[in-house]
C-alpha cells in the first residue's frame, strides 16, 4: 500500500480516519473486549496477533514501579513494512486504552529504532511525549493507565469461549500450514529483505 500510494503515514491515517473497531479483529477482538484488565488485553494481542494477523514485530512488556515499558523486536530488517507494523501496534494501544479503559494512554517517552520518517510530526501529535528516532531499540514508556486497570467490558464466560476458539484456530494454522505460518517457519529465507518478499519467493519457501 505504501509503495502504491507513496504515503508513508498510512498507519496513522488508516487507524483513526476509518475508525477501526476492536471487533474488526474478529474473535481476538472480542476476547480483548472481554479481558480482565489492561495487562490481560495486551497479553492476548501479543499471544495471537503475530500468527493470526501476520505482525512483523514481537512485543515484550516490562512493568516498573512508576511506569510500564513495551519493547518491539523483529527478525526482519527495518523497512517500510516493519515501520508500518510498529506504528500500527503503537496506535492500537491508544485505541485499547480509550475503548477498553475509558482513559487516554499517557506516554513518558517513545524511542524508535529507525530513522525519522517524513511524517515524524504525527508521532508527537498522537503520543504527546518526547520522541527519539534512531534509538538502540523501539520502546514505549507509559505511566497511565496502569496494567491492572480493569476493562469496562470484562466478561469471563465470553472471554473463555473466545479464547477456546482462538486456540482452535491456532491449531488449525499449524496443521494446515497456510502462508502466514509458512512465513514464520521459513523466516530465514527472508532475512536481508527490506520489504516483504515477492509472492514467488514466499511460494518457494512454503
Amino acid at each position: 500500500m505504501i509503495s502504491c500510494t507513496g504515503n508513508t503515514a498510512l498507519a496513522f491515517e488508516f487507524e483513526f480516519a476509518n475508525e477501526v473497531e476492536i471487533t474488526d479483529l474478529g474473535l481476538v477482538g472480542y476476547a480483548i473486549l472481554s479481558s480482565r484488565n489492561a495487562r490481560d488485553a495486551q497479553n492476548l494481542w501479543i499471544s495471537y496477533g503475530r500468527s493470526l494477523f501476520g505482525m512483523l514485530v514481537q512485543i515484550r512488556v516490562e512493568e516498573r514501579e512508576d511506569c510500564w515499558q513495551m519493547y518491539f523486536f523483529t527478525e526482519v530488517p527495518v523497512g517500510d513494512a516493519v515501520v508500518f507494523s510498529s506504528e500500527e501496534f503503537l496506535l492500537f494501544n491508544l485505541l485499547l486504552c480509550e475503548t477498553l479503559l475509558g482513559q487516554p494512554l499517557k506516554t513518558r517517552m517513545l524511542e524508535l529504532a529507525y530513522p525519522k520518517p517524513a511524517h515524524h510530526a504525527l508521532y508527537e501529535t498522537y503520543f504527546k511525549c518526547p520522541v527519539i528516532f534512531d534509538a538502540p531499540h523501539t520502546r514505549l514508556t507509559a505511566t497511565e493507565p496502569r496494567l491492572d486497570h480493569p476493562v469496562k467490558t470484562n466478561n469471563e464466560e465470553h472471554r473463555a469461549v473466545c479464547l477456546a476458539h482462538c486456540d482452535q484456530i491456532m491449531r488449525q494454522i499449524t496443521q494446515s500450514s497456510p502462508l502466514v505460518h509458512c512465513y514464520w517457519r521459513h523466516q530465514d529465507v527472508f532475512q536481508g529483505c527490506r520489504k516483504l518478499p515477492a509472492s514467488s519467493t514466499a511460494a518457494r519457501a512454503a
Side-chain angles (χ1 to χ4, degrees), residues 50-109:
R50 194 177 189 199
S51 295
L52 298 184
F53 299 97
M55 285 175 57
L56 294 178
V57 294
Q58 300 179 64
I59 309 297
R60 187 182 80 238
V61 177
E62 295 183 359
E63 295 185 61
R64 310 290 183 185
E65 185 175 340
D66 62 341
C67 67
W68 54 268
Q69 296 178 312
M70 179 177 288
Y71 290 83
F72 292 62
F73 303 92
T74 180
E75 297 171 349
V76 179
V78 174
D80 289 343
V82 171
V83 172
F84 175 85
S85 188
S86 299
E87 291 174 342
E88 188 176 40
F89 192 71
L90 285 166
L91 292 167
F92 184 66
N93 275 276
L94 297 180
L95 179 67
L96 278 179
C97 289
E98 292 283 359
T99 303
L100 299 183
L101 312 177
Q103 68 178 82
L105 177 69
K106 293 186 178 180
T107 50
R108 177 181 294 172
M109 181 174 293

Side-chain angles (χ1 to χ4, degrees), residues 25-32 44-45 47-49 51-53 158-174:
L25 300 174
L27 282 170
V28 177
Y30 285 102
I32 289 173
L44 287 175
W45 181 246
S47 297
Y48 297 105
S51 295
L52 298 184
F53 299 97
H158 192 229
R159 176 181 179 277
V161 170
C162 291
L163 290 183
H165 284 289
C166 287
D167 289 337
Q168 181 180 9
I169 293 172
M170 291 284 282
R171 287 193 295 271
Q172 291 174 350
I173 288 176
T174 302

Side-chain angles (χ1 to χ4, degrees), residues 27-49:
L27 282 170
V28 177
Y30 285 102
I32 289 173
L33 281 172
S34 304
S35 300
R36 298 163 182 153
N37 51 39
R39 184 185 298 104
D40 187 30
Q42 282 188 347
N43 287 339
L44 287 175
W45 181 246
I46 290 170
S47 297
Y48 297 105

Side-chain angles (χ1 to χ4, degrees), residues 2-3 56 76-82 183 190-198:
I2 293 174
S3 298
L56 294 178
V76 179
V78 174
D80 289 343
V82 171
Y183 176 86
F190 309 125
Q191 295 299 316
C193 298
R194 287 187 57 81
K195 297 183 178 180
L196 289 175

